[in-house]
Amino acid sequence: MPGKANGHLHLTEADQMSPDTPASYYYGEGDVHPPVPEEIEEKLRKVGSVGDVAASVVDRIAQEAHARREMIGGVDHLWIMLQDVTDFNPACTTVFTMRDRVTVEMIAEQLSRQSEKFPRYRQRLDSTGKLFRGALFVDDPDFDVFDHIRVRRLPEPAGKKELDALVGDFIAEPWDLSRPLWDMILVENYHDDDGAVCAVVARGHHTLADGQGFVISQLYMTSYYDDLREMMDGAAHKLHKAKRGLLLPSEYSGKLKSLDPYAKEPFTAPLVHLFLVLLYWLTTAGTTLISVFWSTYQALRMVFFFFFTFWRIEMVVDETPDDHRRSAKREFSSSRVFSLQDVKLCQQAFSGPRPGFAVAGVPKDQRKNARSRVGHVTLNDVVCSVMADVLGHEIATKPEPRSAWGRFTRAVNKVLPSPVPFFIPISIRAPGDWSMRNLSTGANVYLPPSRNLTPDISIREIHEHIHRCRYELSLFKHSLWPRLCFHFLQLSGQAPVLSPLSWFPKSKEQHLPVRLMRRWILKPIADACLESFAAILTNIPGPAKKPITMAGVEVSKWVALPPQGGAGTIGMGIISYAGGISIAVSADMVPGSRGVARRICEDFERRFELYVARAKEVLDHQD
């Protein structure tokens, strides 16, 4: 019989060697019993072999990696979080007016083709609201293209005024994140003086795509698709060859045209290609280093202006009534179409260090491609200069503010410099990228209105004003910081918890701490950022040379529009189409500034015509 010493069981050699001794002989009722062989076999059967376990782990890792790749980026998440915390409505909008009737079936056919090219049109968001896993787009099993098309008839006379009201209501509609994030309206009875007899209005949530991606997907439904594909894919192919030195020297720079013959000779071509590769990458490196310097300067300027102005910005739209809540309604309007030749006249007249410098000494019949080597003025420089004047005038002529803070800021603005702050998006979409991801960033740009906002403005004053705006826009365009911020923000797509906007979601607002944090900290900070500018202004390049068709019907006019920011801000799109240019505007509908979107468009028309008239005076003087 074994004995116990110090509470432990000691077995004799005979006991250890006895195979027939039952386990109960060694273990008391309270001791842990070893599993019987049957239990071990059952557990091994459930777990599987080592190979099965390894395969299961690898499969789980692969699934997680695939899900991570499919998750939307941090910029895409930003629009959802802002919509959750604030009253921001991230709607990108396009309006097509048509010269002949189109039917629902015709539109549905184009949309079906579109959704095959851009799958997000038949997908919905999934896994939203999680802190450590980003949302992703998944196929909607209930998707039906007809669920996203509405048919409307305008009240008579069914013209531009009535269509503008419909578009304003459409922009203001809330979003249902449980369905594909887009909608379209077919307006059957619209007509105008340009010969349009119906209209097609579409909007997409900014998480569906950035502005450029949304416009690309909309233009895919038109005859412009072939030209657009050739342009985008051609640019991608050219960039690919440029990085490898495979283009002709003259395609890098006209000054290298003399090297073209050597690039075609079998013996000298390798040396020329090596030279071009080194030239490309050294130029890229040098440009990047220069951009870092100017980027830092631009960032410091932007930070200074932000803290110098965000607390005293006077919006274009009047103050809301006493309840201080943002108006749920929106206004919309668009300007008439101007010839791109008029823009070119302004470029030729006002480029360079003085008016007329770009065409000085150039015969009139040879001015088509005249360009100043220094101080060249772009289309954006001209249009943004006009827009700064228009908004500056609209702000100056607003009624006296009713609130004490409004009266204080207006008094301060009469003393301190008050540039008009614009938020301008920047596309970082690579050539040939057809995806509907958000590939845009942006920053505030502070453009001063002209010192003379009257029709008596002189040529010299216009030239000086355009070049002040050109300087600010040039700093902005060459800055690297918005791009770096974009890539940093994208990281939060994998873990939304990295963004403070996700910490206190509306779904948990029933908890008092969450409700207090949202109301008194998170929302005020987000609103301050969204109201740190007066307008979101974007240039949307379209089919600039000739009209296009949709479902075989010619498009009379096409406009596109970015979302607005915070309360009182406006959204503005500059659109080029069929040899012309126009603008579109959306704004909050507030009783004290009703009709502001239409007034801005009309004031833009008058001010632009004045710039063109002064440009013609400059060019006529050269003759």
Side-chain angles (χ1 to χ4, degrees):
M1 176 70 181
K4 288 189 177 180
N6 298 325
H8 296 280
L9 183 67
H10 290 269
L11 304 179
T12 65
E13 184 176 349
D15 293 326
Q16 294 177 10
M17 298 299 293
S18 175
D20 301 324
T21 305
S24 60
Y25 180 80
Y26 303 108
Y27 292 90
E29 293 182 359
D31 293 328
V32 177
H33 291 249
V36 296
E38 290 77 7
E39 293 177 348
I40 297 175
E41 292 178 1
E42 178 65 18
K43 288 183 178 180
L44 288 175
R45 187 186 65 78
K46 290 181 178 179
V47 173
S49 65
V50 174
D52 292 337
V53 173
S56 177
V57 171
V58 170
D59 185 56
R60 285 180 177 272
I61 293 175
Q63 290 177 4
E64 180 68 14
H66 175 74
R68 292 288 174 181
R69 286 194 301 269
E70 295 298 316
M71 287 178 190
I72 62 177
V75 177
D76 303 72
H77 263 292
L78 177 64
W79 312 120
I80 301 174
M81 293 186 291
L82 284 173
Q83 182 181 336
D84 179 77
V85 173
T86 70
D87 48 21
F88 175 63
N89 188 330
C92 301
T93 311
T94 60
V95 182
F96 297 86
T97 58
M98 316 295 292
R99 293 193 181 277
D100 203 352
R101 305 287 180 189
V102 294
T103 65
V104 173
E105 290 73 21
M106 295 165 67
I107 295 296
E109 182 180 355
Q110 299 301 315
L111 288 171
S112 297
R113 186 169 66 92
Q114 178 194 51
S115 64
E116 291 299 321
K117 176 68 175 179
F118 303 99
R120 278 196 179 183
Y121 275 92
R122 47 183 168 80
Q123 295 178 327
R124 58 176 178 81
L125 280 173
D126 187 39
S127 299
T128 58
K130 297 182 179 180
L131 293 179
F132 296 98
R133 292 184 63 83
L136 66 161
F137 279 92
V138 298
D139 288 338
D140 183 0
D142 300 320
F143 174 73
D144 185 341
V145 69
F146 287 98
D147 291 339
H148 294 265
I149 309 174
R150 309 177 217 169
V151 180
R152 294 287 186 272
R153 293 186 64 84
L154 299 174
E156 293 300 332
K160 184 177 182 299
K161 180 180 178 181
E162 290 73 26
L163 179 64
D164 288 352
L166 174 68
V167 176
D169 292 341
F170 190 41
I171 292 172
E173 290 181 7
W175 292 96
D176 180 2
L177 298 182
S178 66
R179 63 195 296 269
L181 299 177
W182 64 277
D183 289 292
M184 182 171 283
I185 295 178
L186 170 60
V187 185
E188 291 185 319
N189 64 330
Y190 170 75
H191 56 269
D192 60 24
D193 296 335
D194 294 330
V197 296
C198 72
V200 177
V201 188
R203 70 166 191 158
H205 195 285
H206 219 316
T207 300
L208 178 77
D210 61 8
Q212 190 176 45
F214 184 64
V215 166
I216 288 172
S217 68
Q218 292 295 299
L219 291 176
Y220 181 80
M221 297 189 298
T222 71
S223 60
Y224 185 60
Y225 168 69
D226 291 332
D227 293 336
L228 183 64
R229 179 179 58 184
E230 181 179 349
M231 180 177 64
M232 290 185 65
D233 293 348
H237 181 64
K238 186 174 182 179
L239 179 62
H240 179 78
K241 294 178 66 176
K243 292 178 179 179
R244 289 157 178 76
L246 300 179
L247 297 177
L248 288 174
S250 58
E251 294 181 273
Y252 289 88
S253 171
K255 297 178 181 179
L256 301 177
K257 189 173 182 179
S258 59
L259 296 179
D260 283 0
Y262 299 101
K264 300 175 183 179
E265 293 291 334
F267 298 105
T268 57
L271 293 176
V272 173
H273 293 327
L274 178 61
F275 166 73
L276 294 175
V277 168
L278 293 174
L279 178 65
Y280 176 86
W281 290 108
L282 288 174
T283 302
T284 300
T287 303
T288 301
L289 290 175
I290 294 172
S291 294
V292 169
F293 170 77
W294 286 111
S295 296
T296 304
Y297 174 64
Q298 187 268 344
L300 292 174
R301 279 176 60 89
M302 190 184 73
V303 170
F304 170 78
F305 274 112
F306 176 84
F307 287 105
F308 185 65
T309 62
F310 84 92
W311 52 273
R312 61 184 181 89
I313 291 174
E314 195 166 356
M315 296 298 180
V316 179
V317 177
D318 194 17
E319 295 176 325
T320 55
D322 295 336
D323 59 10
H324 299 295
R325 288 181 298 180
R326 184 176 187 178
S327 171
K329 297 183 178 181
R330 301 290 181 266
E331 295 184 10
F332 168 84
S333 190
S334 61
S335 72
R336 69 176 180 84
V337 178
F338 300 93
S339 171
L340 284 172
Q341 292 301 317
D342 288 342
V343 179
K344 195 165 188 176
L345 291 178
C346 292
Q347 292 178 266
Q348 291 180 336
F350 299 118
S351 289
R354 61 180 183 275
F357 179 85
V359 295
V362 180
K364 188 174 182 178
D365 58 347
Q366 299 178 19
R367 289 180 186 166
K368 183 177 180 181
N369 297 317
R371 179 189 175 103
S372 175
R373 293 185 178 180
V374 293
H376 175 69
V377 170
T378 66
L379 180 149
N380 281 344
D381 296 334
V382 174
V383 175
C384 289
S385 301
V386 176
M387 193 56 66
D389 283 355
V390 170
L391 297 193
H393 178 264
E394 183 69 26
I395 292 170
T397 56
K398 278 174 56 180
E400 189 68 22
R402 294 182 298 276
S403 67
W405 183 255
R407 291 192 293 271
F408 169 75
T409 55
R410 175 162 289 195
V412 172
N413 289 340
K414 291 179 179 179
V415 179
L416 298 178
S418 301
V420 179
F422 293 86
F423 183 86
I424 301 182
I426 306 173
S427 175
I428 59 174
R429 185 177 295 271
D433 190 335
W434 289 88
S435 68
M436 292 189 72
R437 296 177 297 159
N438 273 271
L439 296 170
S440 61
T441 180
N444 285 5
V445 181
Y446 298 85
L447 302 181
S450 173
R451 296 185 178 92
N452 185 354
L453 296 176
T454 70
D456 297 327
I457 187 170
S458 67
I459 291 172
R460 178 67 63 179
E461 288 173 316
I462 290 179
H463 179 270
E464 178 185 346
H465 171 54
I466 289 177
H467 281 268
R468 282 205 309 271
C469 293
R470 173 185 168 274
Y471 174 75
E472 297 294 339
L473 291 168
S474 180
L475 283 176
F476 161 75
K477 286 185 291 187
H478 293 93
S479 177
L480 294 177
W481 290 115
R483 294 170 172 81
L484 293 175
C485 290
F486 167 85
H487 293 295
F488 178 77
L489 182 59
Q490 282 292 80
L491 297 177
S492 66
Q494 296 294 314
V497 71
L498 296 175
S499 172
L501 290 172
S502 67
W503 296 350
F504 306 98
K506 192 174 184 178
S507 60
K508 298 182 179 180
E509 205 169 22
Q510 69 272 17
H511 302 298
L512 181 60
V514 173
R515 186 162 62 251
L516 293 178
M517 288 295 296
R518 285 174 59 88
R519 181 175 180 181
W520 298 109
I521 296 180
L522 207 59
K523 188 177 187 303
I525 293 175
D527 283 340
C529 293
L530 289 172
E531 295 169 17
S532 66
F533 46 84
I536 295 180
L537 175 63
T538 181
N539 180 10
I540 305 167
K545 296 182 179 180
K546 59 184 180 180
I548 60 177
T549 62
M550 178 189 293
V553 177
E554 182 179 329
V555 176
S556 171
K557 183 181 178 181
W558 170 70
V559 299
L561 194 67
Q564 297 170 233
T569 63
I570 61 175
M572 310 180 68
I574 305 169
I575 307 98
S576 53
Y577 173 65
I581 184 174
S582 62
I583 67 164
V585 178
S586 65
D588 293 353
M589 184 179 289
V590 177
S593 59
R594 190 177 294 273
V596 64
R598 173 184 48 79
R599 285 197 305 275
I600 290 173
C601 291
E602 292 174 351
D603 289 347
F604 179 86
E605 293 171 2
R606 287 191 290 268
R607 194 69 177 179
F608 183 74
E609 288 172 350
L610 179 63
Y611 274 47
V612 173
R614 294 290 188 270
K616 289 180 179 178
E617 291 178 22
V618 172
L619 299 177
D620 290 342
H621 180 73
Q622 297 297 320
D623 297 335

